[in-house]
Amino acid sequence: MTFIQLFFIFAAAATLGAALLVVTSRNLIHAALWLIVSLFGVAVFYVILNAGFLAMVQVVVYIGAIAILMIFAIMLTRKVSQVPKPVFNSNWIWALLIAVVMFGSMTWILNMWPQFEAIPPALDPSIDPLRQLGVALVSPEAYVLPFELASLLLLAALIGAIVVAWESR
Amino acid sequence: MIPISYYLIFAAALFCIGLFGVLARRNAIAILMGIELMLNAVNVNLISFWRYATPEKINGQVFAVIVFAVAAAEVAVGLAIFISVYRRRGTVSADEIDLLKW
């Protein structure tokens, strides 16, 4: 058990614990704050995986935009005088069963994979992943079309969100 | 060195926690939070396969970037729908939004 493995287990426990609190908190603002902790934990894993740019994007986009947007939506849709209702719907026991069975079967199937214990290959120091990513996103031989489609999707989502949330008088 | 199994089991657990949130929560915004957790688990898988299988190619990171964009679009539209529903029906509880049920 090396230091990095212990660090991994600590970070994974923190992330999963925060994720459990996200899905079980009665107070939605608390759930959103735990969601921020969980998303930050995932960013830590991106750093361990040598994907520093994505870790930064995770913090900026997920924590800086999505989580804050959720907090605003929670504040906009909250009734002040509300009788406390159950957090879960009536099928929560089935949901728990499905989640546990799915986790068990995924672990079981992954265990049969021969490279399950593979360790990461050494990175070639002459290759800069960030430069590679930037080139791949704009080069016609690689991913320029999905990249442009993603920007179109974001524009459509922006206009759609404004239209849907517009208060018509 | 961390074996890939750590990442895959972590991502599977995160995905299943998100799945439980999506299936069991009553509040629609909490369901959206569960979807975010599931998308994050998928991203962890994409990046770990990129790092462990093909670190010389960048495809895994590009996929993760596209997942980021889709997640942002989905949250924006989803929250707009919930705000609109709240204005009309006064609730964002998923089992009380039953306009399409008969």
Side-chain angles (χ1 to χ4, degrees), chain B residues 23 39 59 65 70:
Chain B
L23 292 176
L39 286 169
N59 305 8
V65 168
V70 172

Side-chain angles (χ1 to χ4, degrees), chain B:
Chain B
M1 276 299 153
I2 303 169
I4 193 169
S5 54
Y6 283 36
Y7 287 102
L8 297 182
I9 290 174
F10 164 74
L14 192 61
F15 185 88
C16 290
I17 291 172
L19 182 70
F20 173 72
V22 169
L23 292 176
R25 287 299 289 243
R26 288 175 79 248
N27 191 296
I29 295 173
I31 292 177
L32 214 55
M33 289 185 197
I35 296 176
E36 290 311 307
L37 290 178
M38 290 163 83
L39 286 169
N40 263 280
V42 171
N43 259 355
V44 169
N45 262 0
L46 285 172
I47 299 298
S48 55
F49 278 121
W50 163 75
R51 180 66 186 84
Y52 283 75
T54 57
E56 72 284 353
K57 295 191 180 115
I58 205 68
N59 305 8
Q61 287 207 24
V62 176
F63 275 42
V65 168
I66 302 289
V67 171
F68 275 126
V70 172
E74 170 245 319
V75 165
V77 175
L79 292 177
I81 290 173
F82 296 151
I83 289 171
S84 179
V85 165
Y86 181 77
R87 222 178 257 144
R88 277 149 209 264
R89 315 259 314 186
T91 178
V92 285
S93 194
D95 46 6
E96 288 169 32
I97 306 171
D98 49 6
L99 273 173
L100 289 177
K101 263 193 199 163
W102 69 88

Side-chain angles (χ1 to χ4, degrees), chain A residues 4 9 11 13-14 16 24 35 37 66 75 80 84 105 124 133 135 152 162:
Chain A
I4 189 80
I9 289 169
L16 292 177
T24 53
L35 181 70
V37 174
I66 293 181
M75 291 193 292
V80 183
S105 54
D124 185 355
L133 179 66
V135 170
L152 197 67
I162 292 171

Side-chain angles (χ1 to χ4, degrees), chain A residues 5-29:
Chain A
Q5 286 177 335
L6 279 175
F7 178 74
F8 182 100
I9 289 169
F10 173 72
T15 310
L16 292 177
L20 273 176
L21 285 165
V22 170
V23 298
T24 53
S25 294
R26 173 172 289 278
N27 189 330
L28 273 180
I29 292 283

